[in-house]
Amino acid sequence: MTYENILTANHNGITTITINRPTKLNALNKDTISELSRAISEADTDEDCRVIIITGSGNKAFVAGADIAEFADYDESEGSDLAEQGQNLLFDFIANLNTPVIAAVNGYALGGGLELAMACHFRVASENAKMGLPEVSLGVIPGYGGTQRLPQLVGKGKAMELIMTAGMLSAQEALQWGLVNHVVTLEELMDFTVKIAQKISQNSSTAIAAVIRSINAGFEKGVNGFETEISEFGGCFGTDDFVEGTTAFLEKRKPNF
Ligand code: COA
């Protein structure tokens, strides 16, 4: 499939999706959100894809937010639709995907950019990255899950302060806050992230999908995550990967998932 605003590549089971609107600091307009959704859906069903990495083109921005020019004259109902469609099509879709998704944050991740990174299963940042949810400086609030996912990742008080001040965290601060898992140089970012993806890709993809569902269940209102874990654990016993993983261990060889 061809895209206008993103680039995709698959090497050794790892699909890299690069948001490619460098003149707009990779800001997310509706077309880009829709292309990302299609590319992620395609990767998720591709047997050759075991891990997805999302990054931004250039050395300045991951994503500098939702495209402000696109929504500047929206009314209330268009605003609600923008948030709802974006959450359904992309942000919740990524968070609940069976395939693991890693954000390689290579610069500014602001507003929708940080929300995109937070929807991914975890984040690696380069030293030059800057992260924040500055929406209140525009008279609006985060609409792609930011008010929910930021407190889940860093705690309520820190989330309140960062959003209310429209502040920006440095990569090191984001690391201290637990918002990103690692900080490396910009030059090392992709290699470092690919190495993590390679480790993941050696493990059972059906078990990893069950891990994503179980961990996410603990953050869903009205769902008992422990019960989800019991049921997902049981489900693993009916998979080919379980037979292969346990057989390989007993035969003292590496599993071939
Ligand atoms: N939406 C639309 N366009 C954006 C954008 C966004 N979120 N962020 C950056 N751009 C565009 C700029 O308008 C500019 O386009 P132009 O050259 O056609 O005027 C281009 O990207 C470069 O941005 P610029 O502001 O000139 O770069 P900078 O280095 O001076 O500043 C930022 C970088 C990230 C601090 C600044 O672009 C910024 O504050 N962006 C908006 C961040 C934001 O509020 N995001 C949340 C949106 S809800």
Side-chain angles (χ1 to χ4, degrees):
M1 210 177 283
T2 53
Y3 300 103
E4 260 179 49
N5 303 300
I6 61 172
L7 306 167
T8 64
N10 181 298
H11 294 295
N12 301 324
I14 296 159
T15 299
T16 302
I17 300 176
T18 306
I19 299 150
N20 189 33
R21 298 184 75 211
T23 58
K24 297 294 173 195
L25 301 185
N26 305 323
L28 292 179
N29 58 6
K30 278 188 181 175
D31 286 348
T32 307
I33 287 182
S34 149
E35 288 188 7
L36 279 168
S37 179
R38 276 191 285 137
I40 291 164
S41 171
E42 200 179 333
D44 187 44
T45 52
D46 179 356
E47 283 197 356
D48 290 335
C49 169
R50 296 178 74 88
V51 181
I52 298 170
I53 298 174
I54 299 180
T55 193
S57 67
N59 56 13
K60 190 168 172 184
F62 173 71
V63 167
D67 192 318
I68 298 167
E70 192 177 62
F71 67 66
D73 62 1
Y74 277 11
D75 63 21
E76 288 169 43
S77 122
E78 289 170 309
S80 302
D81 288 348
L82 183 73
E84 189 177 5
Q85 285 164 14
Q87 290 194 17
N88 291 338
L89 205 58
L90 186 62
F91 296 80
D92 288 353
F93 179 56
I94 291 176
N96 294 309
L97 206 71
N98 283 324
T99 308
V101 187
I102 312 174
V105 181
N106 59 309
Y108 288 114
L110 301 174
L114 180 55
E115 290 173 302
L116 177 63
M118 291 193 296
C120 294
H121 298 122
F122 61 91
R123 292 141 291 285
V124 178
S126 54
E127 286 168 339
N128 60 314
K130 288 200 164 65
M131 282 157 262
L133 294 175
E135 284 87 346
V136 296
S137 71
L138 299 165
V140 68
I141 71 166
Y144 290 145
T147 64
Q148 305 305 300
R149 293 199 175 96
L150 186 63
Q152 286 172 0
L153 287 164
V154 306
K156 187 175 171 184
K158 285 193 168 91
M160 286 277 190
E161 182 180 339
L162 188 69
I163 296 176
M164 286 179 191
T165 57
M168 266 193 226
L169 297 177
S170 68
Q172 280 304 330
E173 287 168 322
L175 182 66
Q176 279 164 17
W177 282 30
L179 186 53
V180 302
N181 290 9
H182 308 275
V183 175
V184 296
T185 65
L186 184 58
E187 294 69 35
E188 286 171 317
L189 180 66
M190 289 316 291
D191 284 351
F192 185 90
T193 310
V194 165
K195 275 194 188 125
I196 300 175
Q198 281 166 343
K199 280 192 193 164
I200 294 172
S201 69
Q202 274 149 35
N203 297 318
S204 157
S205 53
T206 53
I208 285 171
V211 165
I212 294 171
R213 288 191 293 271
S214 298
I215 292 182
N216 282 346
F219 292 91
E220 269 174 52
K221 284 218 166 60
V223 175
N224 183 326
F226 290 95
E227 281 173 9
T228 302
E229 185 182 280
I230 290 168
S231 135
E232 292 288 352
F233 180 81
C236 291
F237 286 68
T239 65
D240 292 344
D241 278 5
F242 174 73
V243 175
E244 170 59 12
T246 50
T247 306
F249 177 81
L250 295 172
E251 290 176 355
K252 302 194 185 303
R253 61 172 173 85
K254 284 206 162 151
N256 184 14
F257 291 122

